[in-house]
Amino acid sequence: MRKVSSAAKAWDRVFRVLAAIGAASPAVFLVLIAAIVSVESIPTLRFMGVHFLTETRWDMGNLYGAMTHKNGVTAPAGASYGALVFIVGTLLSSIIALVVAVPVSIGTALILAYRVRGPLGFLLNILVELLAGIPSVVIGLWGILVLVPWIANSFAPFLKSILGWIPFFGGQTGTGYSLLASGMVLAMMIVPIITATTRDLLEQVPVLAREGGLGIGMTSWEVVRYVSLPYIREGFIGAVALGWGRAMGETMAVLMVSGNATNILPQNLYSPISTMAAFIANQLDSAETDASGMAVHALSELALLLLAITLVTNLIARWLVRPRRREGVITS
Amino acid sequence: MKLRSKWLAGLAAVAAVGVVAGCGTSNSSSSAQNTASGNTSQQAASVATVTLSETGSSLLYPLFNAQWIPAYHKLHPDVEMTAASTGSGTGISDAIAGTVDIGASDAYMADAQIQQHPDMLNIPVAISAQQIMYNLPGVKGHLHLNGQVLAAIYEGKIQYWDDAKIKALNPGVKLPHQVIKPVVRSDGSGDTFLFTQYLSKSSSEWSQNYGYGTTISWPGLQTEIGAKGNQGVVAALAKTPYSVGYVGISWLDKAVQQGLGYAALENAAGKYVLPTSATIQAAAQAGVKNVPADERISLIDEPGANSYPIINFEYLIVKDDQPNASKAEALKSFLEWAINPSEGNNSKFLTPVHFLPLPTSVHAKSEAQIEKIKG
């Protein structure tokens, strides 16, 4: 047996400390960020109370005028912070993104996992991964130059003409800077995430089960529907939750195509919106000129809310994919 | 064993760097003492360099980064300057916090902020302006617009281009029956400050309900587009027929190239004027007599038949109590240089970024403020 030198023991201790720091850091950062954002938002919690969630008007007040005092905190006269517009914008745009992205991702993942092989498969896989690597500001630029005018001139009038009888699809078709444009750029950004995860899951479905399905006369679609999809169900929900979280937190691309509406809820799919993340990015600079500091506290509360919503969707996804007894599903 | 020697080598290298750095500083101070009686060029070379940092206005950033810093560094190699484009609000709060030496801002500090931080100086260094631009296919020439009509458009009270109130200002112009799409800046901006100040001066209703600021709580309109940065506004205007928006003067040429028109605005004398260097200078000359000692003043709607109504000072925000004498000296001499008409305020620096020099009578007030800086 090798004799352990004292130097080796010392290095082992150093390694342990470094590993402990490394392992603790994600938790420490999360707790620190949550704590700072929470503490920063206390003045707004006192100033606005529950109205922060229910009102649509966001107004820093007259920064060049007098201050008012309410509930023991100070803010410029006329200040009122209602985040409902941004909550609705964030949820609706990310849900539209999921509605568009999920079918596309499943289709792409099926083709990548089961149909294409060799150089073509290699190329397609690379392309999906490259799509994930496009910086969001580039997608936003494409959105301004191509997507927004196309929605304004062609797509929105077309949607209205065939689906206009459904509420939310009718009404003014607007400027192209819209809920629809936001949902579509977000869909582009989350398709690669969901596709890559789903492809890996599909590749893990046992070949024996799929071949068995084909052997008893199932069509390709039936194999996918009754063998593959049930097998990957839980992992797939996780992938969708991952995409949803990304869509709600995405800032730059949405900021560029959403129209950044304030003080007004979307009337239809073609209305301008604003999301929590984009609004924080837009407003922080002006908020810093508020001598009372309330504007920064209000943005902190918005950040806290975004953090909480992302956490809740994550927990729901975890609950959905919790381990349980499989019934009627073929396992390997 | 091999692994351990690598670690040791790394440690040794770190220690060596530390020792060298320590020696470096002690060497330079001792050489400074040695050469105190020696020749001056050697002395200048051994004086520790001073760094001046700037953050703030994206409008002032090109002036700092591409014009002033290279030119000033040539004259004063002992002063290292850095600049960053962060937005005016961040520039002001960085300067207050003392994380930077100079905060650049398109808007002056509010009274409430000055009361909290009476040691902050707002020093004008140049004059800027803003034009109202529109995308109206088929309409040639410059539309006539005024503050009341613009306020009504942005409030949603005037919804179509052929509204009677717009027609009344533009007899003979064939205006389309199309919905007006107003464009605003979604990010905090000196341009929003200027534009909303113009609307507030023109319309008491606007002043009461919306006021002015680098960001305001806009009337929520379905037709409105919020775009980020001047480039975002120009892109939104260019891609959206029948839109209207406000754009900083430095973007005028680029926006006109993209097919946008810009308006002649009604000034305090009731005349319609275009933003040119003559009309901006005229407005600045008219405004200077009201400039107070602390130089925080709006230059909107200055009197005079030839005055363009939307102009402003570009400010550098600095603390009057600096941490040490050498920093205070460096800051003072840079600011003096920047406002000197034959140096930093020369048109060879200002013209590329579409600013105009300070009027001479403002110069003295800026100098008096710079004199307050102490180490």
Side-chain angles (χ1 to χ4, degrees):
Chain A
M1 206 168 114
R2 176 172 162 258
K3 193 164 184 262
V4 181
S5 70
S6 63
K9 273 184 186 161
W11 282 113
D12 191 51
R13 244 172 262 133
V14 169
F15 169 74
R16 276 190 201 190
V17 170
L18 287 177
I21 292 172
S25 57
V28 170
F29 285 140
L30 183 66
V31 169
L32 266 183
I33 290 171
I36 288 168
V37 172
S38 307
V39 169
E40 280 288 310
S41 51
I42 288 172
T44 319
L45 280 167
R46 290 170 66 183
F47 186 65
M48 290 303 293
V50 74
H51 295 293
F52 187 82
L53 300 176
T54 57
E55 283 191 12
T56 56
R57 196 167 74 94
W58 186 285
D59 189 342
M60 297 199 295
N62 181 7
L63 300 188
Y64 294 82
M67 295 283 170
T68 54
H69 304 277
K70 185 179 151 191
N71 303 339
V73 287
T74 307
S80 170
Y81 295 100
L84 187 63
V85 171
F86 314 116
I87 299 169
V88 169
T90 304
L91 291 178
L92 285 183
S93 62
S94 57
I95 288 169
I96 289 173
L98 286 183
V99 168
V100 175
V102 165
V104 173
S105 302
I106 293 179
T108 314
L110 283 170
I111 294 291
L112 289 178
Y114 295 155
R115 278 291 177 267
V116 291
R117 288 281 176 274
L120 182 62
F122 180 72
L123 187 72
L124 282 178
N125 274 311
I126 294 254
L127 285 178
V128 168
E129 264 139 46
L130 278 182
L131 187 60
I134 296 179
S136 59
V137 68
V138 175
I139 293 185
L141 192 68
W142 172 83
I144 288 184
L145 297 180
V146 180
L147 183 66
V148 165
W150 178 70
I151 287 179
N153 300 326
S154 316
F155 192 51
F158 168 75
L159 266 187
K160 185 186 170 180
S161 69
I162 56 164
L163 298 171
W165 50 275
I166 308 172
F168 231 62
F169 283 84
Q172 275 196 4
T173 53
T175 57
Y177 291 88
S178 55
L179 180 55
L180 187 59
S182 311
M184 287 172 75
V185 297
L186 286 176
M188 273 188 66
M189 305 186 74
I190 63 175
V191 158
I193 298 172
I194 304 179
T195 302
T197 318
T198 311
R199 177 199 59 204
D200 295 348
L201 290 166
L202 286 172
E203 280 169 352
Q204 286 167 21
V205 177
V207 178
L208 208 59
R210 290 198 289 126
E211 284 177 348
L214 291 171
I216 59 169
M218 287 171 134
T219 61
S220 299
W221 160 244
E222 283 166 340
V223 172
V224 167
R225 171 69 187 80
Y226 295 106
V227 179
S228 298
L229 291 185
Y231 186 84
I232 67 162
R233 196 187 70 99
E234 289 158 8
F236 180 70
I237 290 172
V240 171
L242 203 67
W244 196 9
R246 171 85 202 272
M248 286 193 295
E250 171 51 39
T251 309
M252 201 57 202
V254 183
L255 191 157
M256 292 167 84
V257 302
S258 67
N260 297 296
T262 50
N263 299 336
I264 188 166
L265 288 169
Q267 312 290 301
N268 58 25
L269 213 47
Y270 325 113
S271 295
I273 58 147
S274 196
T275 65
M276 291 190 255
F279 188 72
I280 292 170
N282 265 327
Q283 297 288 308
L284 188 58
D285 188 56
S286 289
E288 290 193 80
T289 61
D290 181 353
S292 72
M294 186 57 79
V296 174
H297 296 309
L299 291 179
S300 300
E301 189 173 350
L302 203 56
L304 181 65
L305 197 61
L306 180 59
L307 203 65
I309 291 178
T310 319
L311 200 68
V312 167
T313 51
N314 240 306
L315 287 177
I316 290 175
R318 279 180 179 271
W319 178 75
L320 284 173
V321 300
R322 71 193 182 281
R324 58 188 140 180
R325 210 154 50 92
R326 292 154 178 268
E327 274 170 35
V329 174
I330 307 150
T331 52
S332 53
Chain B
M1 186 57 207
K2 202 177 174 196
L3 182 78
R4 203 176 68 178
S5 62
K6 257 189 194 167
W7 275 91
L8 286 178
L11 276 176
V14 170
V17 167
V19 168
V20 167
C23 291
T25 46
S26 63
N27 274 354
S28 66
S29 58
S30 63
S31 70
Q33 281 159 7
N34 289 345
T35 54
S37 57
N39 68 54
T40 46
S41 70
Q42 217 178 330
Q43 192 176 9
S46 62
V47 165
T49 56
V50 180
T51 52
L52 291 180
S53 51
E54 179 265 359
T55 59
S57 163
S58 52
L59 213 53
L60 274 160
Y61 177 73
L63 176 62
F64 264 90
N65 195 48
Q67 309 291 333
W68 278 359
I69 291 182
Y72 194 72
H73 191 70
K74 232 176 246 170
L75 294 172
H76 301 267
D78 55 324
V79 178
E80 290 287 341
M81 293 191 70
T82 61
S85 166
T86 58
S88 297
T90 307
I92 292 176
S93 65
D94 283 353
I96 290 173
T99 49
V100 299
D101 305 303
I102 302 169
S105 176
D106 310 324
Y108 49 86
M109 285 170 67
D111 289 344
Q113 263 188 319
I114 285 288
Q115 276 159 20
Q116 284 181 2
H117 308 282
D119 56 339
M120 302 309 291
L121 303 173
N122 293 234
I123 300 170
V125 288
I127 289 187
S128 181
Q130 168 183 95
Q131 70 279 3
I132 306 302
M133 307 205 78
Y134 48 81
N135 181 341
L136 271 179
V139 175
K140 298 266 178 280
H142 299 284
L143 276 190
H144 284 190
L145 292 172
N146 64 26
Q148 291 95 328
V149 163
L150 283 168
I153 289 173
Y154 274 82
E155 275 180 287
K157 291 191 171 158
I158 293 180
Q159 292 187 335
Y160 290 92
W161 278 108
D162 59 349
D163 189 281
K165 282 182 180 147
I166 303 180
K167 274 183 169 169
L169 304 182
N170 296 282
V173 179
K174 201 172 176 308
L175 290 160
H177 183 69
Q178 292 282 353
V179 174
I180 304 175
K181 290 148 185 170
V183 181
V184 306
R185 282 285 289 273
S186 61
D187 51 334
S189 158
D191 283 308
T192 303
F193 181 80
L194 279 180
F195 181 65
T196 51
Q197 224 171 25
Y198 179 59
L199 298 188
S200 295
K201 280 214 174 175
S202 310
S203 153
S204 58
E205 193 179 305
W206 185 277
S207 168
Q208 273 167 24
N209 295 336
Y210 307 105
Y212 61 90
T214 53
T215 295
I216 67 154
S217 188
W218 295 98
L221 295 183
Q222 282 295 324
T223 49
E224 192 168 274
I225 299 167
K228 183 174 164 59
N230 270 317
Q231 69 271 35
V233 172
V234 170
L237 288 169
K239 291 280 171 190
T240 315
Y242 311 111
S243 55
V244 63
Y246 52 92
V247 180
I249 191 85
S250 51
W251 284 78
L252 181 60
D253 301 344
K254 283 173 211 161
V256 168
Q257 278 166 19
Q258 300 205 32
L260 300 182
Y262 59 103
L265 295 181
E266 189 182 17
N267 65 17
K271 298 275 190 291
Y272 288 86
V273 286
L274 289 170
T276 63
S277 57
T279 59
I280 296 168
Q281 292 280 25
Q285 291 298 345
V288 292
K289 64 175 184 298
N290 300 324
V291 174
D294 72 357
E295 298 188 278
R296 293 184 302 126
I297 188 172
S298 158
L299 296 178
I300 299 290
D301 249 350
E302 293 298 345
N306 200 29
S307 295
Y308 186 72
I310 313 185
I311 71 160
N312 70 310
F313 282 139
E314 293 292 324
Y315 290 94
L316 298 188
I317 313 285
V318 296
K319 263 194 167 100
D320 62 14
D321 48 338
Q322 290 295 317
N324 55 57
S326 63
K327 182 79 113 185
E329 276 315 307
L331 190 57
K332 274 164 91 164
S333 65
F334 169 72
L335 291 171
E336 294 280 2
W337 177 87
I339 62 166
N340 188 328
S342 54
E343 313 249 28
N345 234 250
N346 193 297
S347 56
K348 83 173 170 199
F349 297 123
L350 299 185
T351 307
V353 288
H354 298 262
F355 288 147
L356 287 167
L358 290 178
T360 33
S361 53
V362 172
H363 193 253
K365 285 171 180 159
S366 288
E367 254 181 355
Q369 288 215 84
I370 293 170
E371 274 311 305
K372 289 185 187 168
I373 300 172
K374 293 280 182 290

